[in-house]
Amino acid sequence: MKALFTFFTASLLTLACAYGQNNILKVQQVGSENEGETHQAGSANSISHFQNGFGNYTNTRQTGERNLGNLTQIGMENRSEAIQIGTSNRINATQAGNELKATLRQNGQENQIVLSDNAGKENNQNNSSSIYQDGTGNRAELSIGRNGGKQYETSSDNTTWTKQQGTENQAFIGVSGNGNRVRASQDGYNNKLGEAMPKGGAEMGITVVGEQNDLTVYQTGDRNSAKLIHRGNNNLINAEQGDGQEIKGGLIESHDNTLYVSQTGNNNLAELGQRAAPGKVFTGYNHLWLYQTGDGNEAFVKQVGDQNGFQARQTGNINSISYSATGAENLGELAQSGNGNQVEAIQKGDGNRLHGGGKFRNVYEYSSESQAETALQVGDDNYVKALQQGDYNEVNYLQVGSGNRIEGEQTGNGHLAEIMQNGINNSHTFSQTSTIP
């Protein structure tokens, strides 16, 4: 085993290690405007790079397998870049300070990146981190505003970007604080942003806690899953799976994706989409679950494709759901509990169904056969507007409370509509219009 330790306060350093095994390289930058480059090739090597001060820069490169890179940034306006190429490599990165920037890249198989900040001990603001992984079986873990399992609000206005390309990759992201921006993108097959449906409800995936945080997620391909959790007020989630973009004159045949979204708090917004090519073989079969608890929340959901499922539950007052589905044999199950809520639903295609809450057949919710749990809306002064276009579609509405209103329309042939209102001062307007074959 060879070990090299370097310490400097104001200098330009370039170190290169030839191909080998079990080499150890340690570098410290203390002071301001230092620069350093380190390279290792081989297996089971390690680099530790420490920055403390202002305006320092480091660049680290490792090729081979089972290599380890440790990066620590403390201070202000420090920059760190690291790249690993090979198999079973790992990068550990820590940011503590302000206006720090880390760019971490891995190319290969079964690599891992772990990024965290020194929450609770430092005020971390305006930091940015970018993680790029290309290959198979890679894993990314980000923890911002968290330390030792505790959550802090000392991390604010930070930006994280995670991008994975390939198959069977995973990302786990936890953020606490205010004004943070989280971006995650996965392109390929069998990728996961956490476990979309963990048994026992364990919190895995992307969890953001605080105020005015933004979370954006994109997944393209098949059999991908994501679990997104927001806790706090005035937060935004924007998530899309299978973007349905045009390729060689056609749409991507994206299918079997799952998306679980939970927001707890007030005045939150969820913009969600699952897109595929309706009418094609092996397209659709996507599933989306949405849960919002609090007041003044909004959800906009769009599904394109066949045999997709959407289940939503909002609890609180003055909440709204806007849902649209284009394709055949799609199912929408919506439930609201509270006052002054609204639902707008549009389904275009054949054999679609729109219901109240139903039984919520998934691991996150237990439902009985009681009327309150199968209703579309429970409370007062609620409103539903629904439109179905096509043939052999079905709606089932139940409202429980007072001053509620339903407006609906079915256009086509062979439809079924069931409407029930329980309470006082309720009203409904519903029309069915047949088309001539």
Side-chain angles (χ1 to χ4, degrees):
M1 178 181 71
K2 299 178 181 180
L4 178 62
F5 177 83
T6 303
F7 173 84
F8 56 98
T9 58
S11 63
L12 172 63
L13 175 70
T14 300
L15 293 174
C17 295
Y19 187 92
Q21 299 183 36
N22 300 311
N23 294 309
I24 299 175
L25 175 60
K26 298 181 179 180
V27 178
Q28 289 190 6
Q29 290 175 315
V30 179
S32 62
E33 300 181 359
N34 297 302
E35 296 184 8
E37 296 184 5
T38 54
H39 306 276
Q40 285 181 326
S43 60
N45 298 309
S46 70
I47 292 178
S48 297
H49 212 131
F50 178 85
Q51 292 177 320
N52 190 347
F54 174 83
N56 297 303
Y57 170 76
T58 178
N59 185 299
T60 299
R61 181 182 179 90
Q62 293 175 305
T63 59
E65 59 183 20
R66 303 191 309 279
N67 293 308
L68 174 64
N70 293 314
L71 306 175
T72 301
Q73 293 178 310
I74 300 174
M76 292 184 61
E77 297 186 14
N78 294 312
R79 292 183 300 135
S80 182
E81 298 181 5
I83 184 171
Q84 291 180 324
I85 301 174
T87 303
S88 300
N89 297 305
R90 178 177 173 131
I91 296 175
N92 297 321
T94 301
Q95 292 179 315
N98 300 319
E99 299 183 31
L100 305 170
K101 183 177 181 179
T103 303
L104 313 175
R105 301 176 184 270
Q106 289 179 321
N107 191 325
Q109 299 178 351
E110 299 179 2
N111 296 306
Q112 184 174 7
I113 293 177
V114 179
L115 173 68
S116 63
D117 64 2
N118 202 17
K121 299 180 181 179
E122 301 285 345
N123 292 319
N124 302 302
Q125 295 181 341
N126 297 310
N127 297 318
S128 67
S129 59
S130 300
I131 291 178
Y132 303 95
Q133 291 179 313
D134 191 349
T136 303
N138 297 308
R139 180 184 177 102
E141 299 180 21
L142 283 77
S143 179
I144 306 299
R146 298 182 170 204
N147 194 349
K150 296 181 179 180
Q151 300 174 354
Y152 299 89
E153 295 186 358
T154 57
S155 295
S156 61
D157 300 311
N158 300 303
T159 301
T160 69
W161 170 251
T162 301
K163 184 175 183 179
Q164 294 177 316
Q165 292 182 301
T167 60
E168 299 180 359
N169 296 309
Q170 284 187 303
F172 301 89
I173 302 174
V175 177
S176 296
N178 303 320
N180 297 301
R181 294 172 297 279
V182 180
R183 304 288 186 267
S185 172
Q186 290 179 318
D187 186 1
Y189 305 91
N190 294 322
N191 296 308
K192 294 182 179 180
L193 287 169
E195 296 286 349
M197 297 181 65
K199 294 182 179 179
E203 288 194 5
M204 303 172 66
I206 298 182
T207 302
V208 180
V209 180
E211 307 272 338
Q212 297 181 337
N213 296 304
D214 293 347
L215 170 58
T216 302
V217 170
Y218 297 100
Q219 290 180 312
T220 61
D222 302 331
R223 298 182 296 278
N224 297 310
S225 64
K227 181 179 181 183
L228 315 177
I229 299 172
H230 254 168
R231 292 180 179 172
N233 303 319
N234 301 302
N235 295 308
L236 166 65
I237 289 180
N238 185 301
E240 185 167 315
Q241 293 178 316
D243 59 6
Q245 60 183 312
E246 291 189 4
I247 294 181
K248 295 181 179 179
L251 292 174
I252 294 175
E253 295 187 359
S254 179
H255 59 87
D256 293 296
N257 297 304
T258 58
L259 176 61
Y260 171 87
V261 175
S262 174
Q263 289 182 311
T264 302
N266 302 320
N267 302 316
N268 294 307
L269 172 62
E271 298 176 340
L272 315 173
Q274 290 178 317
R275 303 171 186 267
K280 291 202 170 206
V281 180
F282 301 123
T283 182
Y285 308 102
N286 299 306
H287 299 278
L288 194 157
W289 289 270
L290 169 67
Y291 299 91
Q292 290 179 317
T293 302
D295 299 331
N297 296 309
E298 293 182 277
F300 295 87
V301 177
K302 184 174 184 178
Q303 290 181 312
V304 179
D306 301 331
Q307 297 184 357
N308 297 306
F310 170 54
Q311 292 176 299
R313 177 165 292 178
Q314 288 181 321
T315 303
N317 303 315
I318 318 178
N319 298 309
S320 66
I321 298 175
S322 178
Y323 160 64
S324 70
T326 302
E329 299 180 11
N330 293 303
L331 170 64
E333 292 186 349
L334 315 177
Q336 291 178 318
S337 177
N339 302 319
N341 297 310
Q342 293 188 15
V343 170
E344 293 189 4
I346 299 175
Q347 291 178 319
K348 297 181 180 181
D350 299 333
N352 295 306
R353 291 176 294 160
L354 182 61
H355 296 283
K359 297 183 180 180
F360 273 78
R361 301 177 299 276
N362 64 76
V363 299
Y364 296 106
E365 292 287 337
Y366 171 79
S367 301
S368 67
E369 294 289 342
S370 69
Q371 186 183 75
E373 291 186 346
T374 58
L376 175 63
Q377 292 176 323
V378 178
D380 302 329
D381 301 315
N382 296 309
Y383 172 70
V384 175
K385 182 178 181 179
L387 170 66
Q388 288 183 319
Q389 295 177 337
D391 297 326
Y392 304 103
N393 296 310
E394 178 183 321
V395 295
N396 184 300
Y397 297 147
L398 169 61
Q399 287 180 322
V400 179
S402 302
N404 297 309
R405 186 160 59 102
I406 292 176
E407 292 182 7
E409 180 181 350
Q410 290 177 318
T411 302
N413 304 309
H415 297 308
L416 171 64
E418 296 180 332
I419 299 173
M420 180 177 179
Q421 293 177 313
N422 189 339
I424 60 174
N425 295 323
N426 298 309
S427 64
H428 74 270
T429 302
F430 198 92
S431 66
Q432 292 178 319
T433 303
S434 298
T435 58
I436 300 175

